[in-house]
Amino acid sequence: YPSHPSLRSMAYSHSAQLLRSQAKRLQENLDIQDRKYHFTTYRSCFVGSAAVPIIIVLKFAQSETEAIAFGNKLIDEKIIAHIAGERFENKQFFYKFLVDLKDVTNLETLNKATTSASQAAAPPPSQPVNESVEPDNIPRFYRSNSQFQFEKPDEYETGSHLPYVKTVQIGSELLRNAAFNKGLAFTFQERREYNLHGLLPPIYRDLRVQSKQLMANIDRMKDPLDQYVLLMNILATNEKLFYHTLCNNLARLMPIVYTPTVGLACQKFGDIFIRPRGLYITIKDKGRIYQMLKNYPTNDVRAICFTDGERILGLGDLGAQGMGIPIGKLALYTGCAGVRPEQLLPVTIDVGCNTKSVREGEFYIGIRQTRTRGKDYDELIEEFMRACTYRWGPSVLLQFEDFGNSNAFRLLEKFKNEFCTFNDDIQGTASVALAGIYSALRVKDAPSKLADHTFVMFGAGSAGVGIANLIVSAICKESGDNCKLPEEARKQIWLVDSRGLVFANRASGGITDTKAPFAHEWSGGEIKDLDAIVRAVKGTALLGVSGQGQTFNEATCKAVLLNNARPIIFPMSNPTHKAECSAEDAYKWTDNQCIFASGSPFPRMTIKRDDDDAKAAATVEIVPAQANNAYIFPGVALGVIASRATRITDDMFMLAAQTLSSLVTDEMLAKGTVYPPIHHIRAVSFEIAARIAAECYRLGIASEIEPIDIRGLIRRKQYNHSNSTFYSDTVFNNLEQEFMHKPEQRHYEYVIVGGGVAAGYACKEFVDLGITQSKSNSVCLVSAEAVLPYERPALSKGFLLKQPLELPAFNTCAFAKQCNTLQWYTDNQIEVRLGTKVTRIDYSQKRIFLNNGEPITY
């Protein structure tokens, strides 16, 4: 390094000692993960393949071996932040160099690097350091370590600990516990053992039948709010039934549990409030939040979704009534990704409400004051986040939800390097939008690269700027030699706010710090009409996150069509009446050529589109894509929770977008959708979770022990919504017989083995022959359900005592005349003595053992 010899001298010193501690572990970690999930192939444990030739071009080294050695030492000395971009003749090389090294685990802040550099060696007088580079102008490459102080502050220990003990609930208390209540799915054995007999009707309904009954009740209701109330009541009384129904009917119930119905539910939250769920923390609770968190009885909370209610969807400030949003989000954590519901906690941070009609409503559930801002607000949020990490550990996921524009970006930037946190409105929305754009690049006749597009972002709030920032990162990391720098990539994105086109030195002002990077030089004056803006900047893609319904008019859509034969039109605002345009209008105004995605669902439609291979226009059924954040945040959360990551990086949302887009097939694109069908969302979430967990292990920010099979880890962490847990342990059955009596002997003249239709007909034939009339225990049926003596009343219809198995058992039945004894050993195994032959039957495993010991599975 000609202009800074001390840097080179220091990098080549102490190399063996510095590399020994971490090189081997990181080498193995990167090799394992990148072999399956690589986007950049690593040639060494620290320096990526793109960095190796760059180091040589920059004359840091003369060969590949020296380049790898230099990169390793450079990072280990924590001096990467000293490399100033203006000293490089090619800034693209510098940017690629930083991008390739940005995910290394032990990069430090500039302050630590400056200290170590100044103590290492002074530059020789013959080659002085370039003093024109001021410290404030040096590119800072910040990546904080995942460190946590486990010792709790003294102010948290203000009283005695609550005496939480493990107890077994029975009777009515068990029925009131939503996490364990099964309703009519309690078996009669469970009812006997847990004092439930008589507290439930004398019938048994499994989970499938109960779910069918619930869906029938929902279908009878016409008002979506009534459907929402019914589902929330089920969630409060029988969690298993709620999640079983939700997971099996996602496409039908997601619009009720979340957008658009949840918006109406938040507006009426006080009116429909029945029982509390989650935690309610107010501005008056500063200084005692940790003690309030201790009141929550679960010690294994893994994810918290919290809101201050200032910007609920596109409905404005709803104060404490915004609690419906965290409840709905966490329901989708489980419904879409399988996160365990007992590990999720919704929280409302109530600092007041500035919407007078809401605040003064008769049934408002929050504190009746205007919104608190400033220092007290910031201290409350920070105290809450710190208290959560002390209560449940540094890996607890803290999701910001529906914070106002003035706080959303600011709080995310302040805390993302200190806590495991993300903001779905900023990062989740950006990720799902980018996934749709990635898919649009594959559509026939559409531009195939991000660099070929000009994006117009209608709405410059937290969601709009978040999408813009992620698109910039994606453009910079697009494959190819002509990669762009961030300042160049931003020129492809134009923001539009309430005052019109955003540009530098706009006379009407309103250029906030978040908008400033996208305020480009512009000499065309202020423009407010959206169609004129699209024509002026030559926009090829139009995205709406303004919350202003029906603002994409015919002139606007046609303006995008002029610049792009397959225009991208994404009206992403929620709920439906806030969408910037409908799918029908977008297709009609673009001659059925647009690539469409919306935040709220729109029905299927049939359009006519010209086909090059056909003489006439072809009729095509279009499934308008829904750019739903639920494609992203449940999978990201599951991956983070499964790996117990302590940080969430921005690039994880780009990886999630790439994974989501990769699951869109050509057949889906032909139907006009840029996302997988909503009923595939659990599979989508699983793939995203596996990719995110692999990234967490690769970056060294996962605190869970790394498994050999990451996909297996994800499956083990998921919630089983399909089956009810059986509370009675069968290994303790028949204790009396085992310890107090000899095994019970039963004698039958005939034994029928099998549980299929043939066995039922055989039993009926025995009845017709009059065999059962001569002796009460003359016939015994052995099936997978039970070993039962047959009685005439049960045979009158030709069925078994219990319903026949849905899965096929024996298609034939076996008869054994002169059966000597039928010996009961355990609840699951019996021994049938047929003359001198012995057959052991294990019907819990659906196996029959012949007398030679050979098993038959049925």
Side-chain angles (χ1 to χ4, degrees):
Y1 194 23
S3 62
H4 201 332
S6 63
L7 198 66
R8 190 166 190 173
S9 173
M10 180 175 60
Y12 274 95
S13 64
H14 314 301
S15 59
Q17 179 181 358
L18 292 171
L19 286 176
R20 191 177 300 118
S21 62
Q22 294 190 8
K24 184 176 180 180
R25 183 177 68 85
L26 288 179
Q27 174 80 62
E28 294 172 350
N29 195 19
L30 290 172
D31 284 348
I32 290 172
Q33 304 307 332
D34 285 346
R35 193 174 301 133
K36 193 168 186 179
Y37 299 105
H38 71 282
F39 288 92
T40 302
T41 303
Y42 282 77
R43 293 190 180 179
S44 78
C45 56
F46 296 110
V47 181
S49 58
V52 171
I54 295 171
I55 293 175
I56 298 174
V57 170
L58 297 175
K59 299 181 179 180
F60 282 101
Q62 296 180 353
S63 67
E64 180 177 309
T65 303
E66 290 182 7
I68 293 176
F70 175 78
N72 289 336
K73 297 167 186 176
L74 186 69
I75 297 168
D76 261 10
E77 285 288 331
K78 302 179 179 63
I79 56 175
I80 186 66
H82 280 275
I83 301 178
E86 54 268 39
R87 294 181 181 174
F88 289 47
E89 294 182 2
N90 191 328
K91 289 188 176 182
Q92 289 183 346
F93 278 144
F94 171 68
Y95 180 74
K96 275 289 189 183
F97 185 59
L98 291 185
V99 167
D100 202 46
L101 297 177
K102 67 172 293 187
D103 291 332
V104 176
T105 57
N106 64 339
L107 291 180
E108 287 286 1
T109 61
L110 180 65
N111 292 334
K112 292 183 179 180
T114 304
T115 303
S116 62
S118 62
Q119 294 175 352
S126 59
Q127 293 181 332
V129 177
N130 185 357
E131 296 180 356
S132 63
V133 181
E134 296 295 331
D136 289 340
N137 296 329
I138 296 177
R140 284 160 169 76
F141 196 73
Y142 179 72
R143 174 95 168 84
S144 71
N145 287 337
S146 297
Q147 297 176 339
F148 183 71
Q149 174 58 261
F150 284 93
E151 184 178 357
K152 296 178 182 178
D154 293 338
E155 59 267 22
Y156 285 1
E157 304 298 335
T158 59
S160 59
H161 293 280
L162 294 176
Y164 288 125
V165 295
K166 180 179 178 180
T167 61
V168 177
Q169 291 183 318
I170 62 174
S172 60
E173 290 298 323
L174 178 57
L175 296 179
R176 283 194 286 264
N177 189 328
F180 298 99
N181 178 30
K182 299 196 296 181
L184 296 178
F186 281 108
T187 66
F188 285 93
Q189 181 179 356
E190 290 172 324
R191 300 183 194 194
R192 180 178 67 252
E193 294 180 1
Y194 290 95
N195 295 355
L196 298 175
H197 192 66
L199 300 182
L200 295 168
I203 61 169
Y204 171 84
R205 284 182 184 167
D206 62 19
L207 201 55
R208 180 183 57 84
V209 177
Q210 290 186 79
S211 179
K212 182 179 179 180
Q213 177 199 9
L214 175 58
M215 288 303 300
N217 287 325
I218 290 175
D219 291 337
R220 277 196 294 268
M221 296 178 175
K222 303 303 181 183
D223 186 356
L225 186 60
D226 291 339
Q227 296 172 333
Y228 175 87
V229 172
L230 173 60
L231 285 172
M232 291 301 105
N233 284 335
I234 296 298
L235 176 60
T237 56
N238 191 335
E239 282 187 359
K240 179 73 77 170
L241 175 60
F242 173 84
Y243 288 115
H244 178 85
T245 306
L246 176 63
C247 293
N248 291 327
N249 301 274
L250 265 174
R252 172 76 173 84
L253 297 182
M254 190 181 293
I256 301 174
V257 174
Y258 201 57
T259 58
T261 305
V262 73
L264 176 61
C266 288
Q267 291 176 310
K268 302 288 187 180
F269 200 81
D271 300 56
I272 63 176
F273 183 86
I274 297 177
R275 65 183 70 193
R277 186 173 186 84
L279 284 174
Y280 295 81
I281 297 172
T282 74
I283 188 65
K284 302 177 185 295
D285 294 314
K286 273 184 61 180
R288 53 172 175 254
I289 294 179
Y290 177 75
Q291 286 75 15
M292 295 174 67
L293 297 182
K294 287 171 62 179
N295 291 338
Y296 195 72
T298 301
N299 292 325
D300 189 28
V301 171
R302 301 289 184 89
I304 298 171
C305 182
F306 66 105
T307 182
D308 69 351
E310 185 175 5
R311 192 191 62 84
I312 299 299
L313 300 177
L315 304 173
D317 189 351
L318 298 183
Q321 299 199 155
M323 182 56 139
I325 295 294
I327 293 175
K329 284 277 187 181
L330 295 181
L332 295 187
Y333 269 40
T334 303
C336 298
V339 180
R340 298 179 185 275
E342 66 270 17
Q343 296 177 344
L344 304 175
L345 173 62
V347 175
T348 284
I349 306 293
D350 186 2
V351 295
C353 177
N354 286 347
T355 304
K356 185 176 180 181
S357 60
V358 174
R359 185 178 68 245
E360 296 181 356
E362 181 180 3
F363 302 113
Y364 181 61
I365 62 170
I367 56 176
R368 298 179 186 271
Q369 67 176 49
T370 56
R371 185 167 290 274
T372 301
R373 300 192 185 277
K375 181 180 178 182
D376 287 342
Y377 175 88
D378 290 352
E379 289 177 349
L380 179 72
I381 298 298
E382 183 169 358
E383 181 187 350
F384 167 74
M385 298 183 74
R386 294 195 183 282
C388 287
T389 58
Y390 282 114
R391 175 70 172 90
W392 291 294
S395 63
V396 62
L397 190 159
L398 299 165
Q399 178 186 335
F400 287 95
E401 185 62 34
D402 283 352
F403 279 70
N405 291 333
S406 61
N407 293 318
F409 262 108
R410 181 177 62 85
L411 293 176
L412 180 62
E413 290 299 317
K414 180 178 180 181
F415 294 121
K416 70 179 183 180
N417 289 317
E418 194 173 355
F419 298 93
C420 179
T421 187
F422 74 97
N423 187 313
D424 182 56
D425 304 306
I426 297 173
Q427 296 163 293
T429 303
S431 184
V432 75
L434 180 61
I437 294 170
Y438 276 141
S439 299
L441 299 179
R442 296 160 46 198
V443 174
K444 183 180 178 181
D445 299 329
S448 60
K449 288 188 176 182
L450 293 171
D452 298 332
H453 278 286
T454 298
F455 300 90
V456 176
M457 193 69 58
F458 184 63
S462 58
V465 176
I467 296 172
N469 284 332
L470 195 62
I471 292 176
V472 168
S473 297
I475 293 173
C476 293
K477 295 179 182 180
E478 203 166 29
S479 61
D481 297 331
N482 298 322
C483 67
K484 292 190 175 183
L485 298 174
E487 56 266 28
E488 296 171 336
R490 291 190 189 101
K491 294 178 182 178
Q492 294 179 225
I493 302 174
W494 293 86
L495 302 184
V496 181
D497 62 9
S498 59
R499 307 183 191 190
L501 181 66
V502 173
F503 59 91
N505 302 315
R506 186 173 65 179
S508 59
I511 309 300
T512 62
D513 292 340
T514 57
K515 301 177 190 177
F518 299 94
H520 313 307
E521 296 297 330
W522 176 255
S523 59
E526 296 196 18
I527 310 176
K528 289 190 176 182
D529 293 336
L530 186 56
D531 58 314
I533 292 173
V534 172
R535 288 193 297 270
V537 303
K538 295 181 171 56
T540 61
L542 177 63
L543 291 83
V545 284
S546 65
Q548 304 298 314
Q550 303 304 311
T551 46
F552 291 179
N553 55 30
E554 183 175 1
T556 302
C557 293
K558 287 186 178 296
V560 186
L561 181 62
L562 290 175
N563 303 318
N564 185 359
R566 300 303 304 271
I568 297 175
I569 298 179
F570 286 6
M572 299 177 65
S573 294
N574 281 312
T576 306
H577 71 277
K578 296 283 187 178
E580 285 78 7
C581 73
S582 67
E584 182 180 2
D585 288 340
Y587 280 103
K588 180 175 65 176
W589 293 335
T590 59
D591 300 329
N592 297 330
Q593 296 301 310
C594 71
I595 302 171
F596 180 88
S598 60
S600 293
F602 285 98
R604 294 169 178 259
M605 53 190 297
T606 302
I607 65 172
K608 289 187 177 182
R609 180 177 289 161
D610 294 334
D611 191 344
D612 296 338
D613 300 329
K615 295 181 179 180
T619 300
V620 181
E621 184 185 40
I622 293 296
V623 183
Q626 184 183 0
N628 197 322
N629 291 20
Y631 281 113
I632 299 295
F633 69 82
V636 171
L638 177 59
V640 169
I641 292 171
S643 62
R644 305 208 73 161
T646 56
R647 299 292 182 271
I648 300 177
T649 65
D650 293 334
D651 278 355
M652 289 182 185
F653 292 92
M654 189 180 301
L655 295 178
Q658 292 168 343
T659 303
L660 174 58
S661 178
S662 70
L663 299 174
V664 179
T665 65
D666 293 339
E667 290 77 11
M668 295 175 188
L669 292 176
K671 291 186 177 181
T673 181
V674 291
Y675 301 105
I678 202 71
H679 59 268
H680 290 177
I681 198 166
R682 285 184 67 86
V684 170
S685 297
F686 181 86
E687 295 299 327
I688 292 176
R691 183 65 188 92
I692 296 302
E695 184 71 1
C696 291
Y697 283 111
R698 191 181 73 83
L699 299 181
I701 56 177
S703 57
E704 182 84 6
I705 295 176
E706 183 175 2
I708 296 176
D709 180 13
I710 288 183
R711 302 173 75 85
L713 170 69
I714 301 297
R715 291 189 187 94
R716 289 192 299 274
K717 298 294 184 180
Q718 286 184 303
Y719 174 71
N720 179 12
H721 67 275
S722 301
N723 301 308
S724 293
T725 303
F726 188 57
Y727 297 150
S728 297
D729 200 329
T730 58
V731 300
F732 297 110
N733 289 354
N734 301 315
L735 289 178
E736 292 82 359
Q737 288 85 346
E738 293 180 18
F739 287 92
M740 299 177 64
H741 305 287
K742 294 182 179 180
E744 181 182 353
Q745 303 287 329
R746 297 188 185 181
H747 301 274
Y748 298 97
E749 184 176 354
Y750 296 91
V751 175
I752 300 175
V753 181
V757 177
Y761 281 121
C763 292
K764 185 176 186 300
E765 186 175 347
F766 273 46
V767 173
D768 293 339
L769 294 175
I771 295 177
T772 57
Q773 296 177 359
S774 60
K775 188 182 293 186
S776 60
N777 286 335
S778 58
V779 177
C780 173
L781 174 75
V782 180
S783 73
E785 286 280 347
V787 180
L788 299 167
Y790 243 88
E791 296 176 359
R792 187 183 182 91
L795 297 175
S796 59
K797 297 180 181 179
F799 292 106
L800 309 181
L801 280 178
K802 294 188 178 181
Q803 289 291 331
L805 295 176
E806 291 183 1
L807 298 175
F810 269 157
N811 290 325
T812 61
C813 57
F815 302 92
K817 208 169 184 181
Q818 301 300 325
C819 173
N820 296 333
T821 61
L822 190 148
Q823 184 77 41
W824 290 64
Y825 282 93
T826 68
D827 192 56
N828 290 337
Q829 291 191 2
I830 62 172
E831 184 179 282
V832 180
R833 296 186 179 274
L834 309 177
T836 59
K837 297 180 180 180
V838 177
T839 300
R840 182 164 57 87
I841 300 174
D842 185 346
Y843 61 86
S844 66
Q845 299 297 325
K846 299 185 179 180
R847 292 190 301 177
I848 292 180
F849 293 84
L850 301 180
N851 58 321
N852 60 2
E854 180 182 357
I856 299 178
T857 301
Y858 65 102

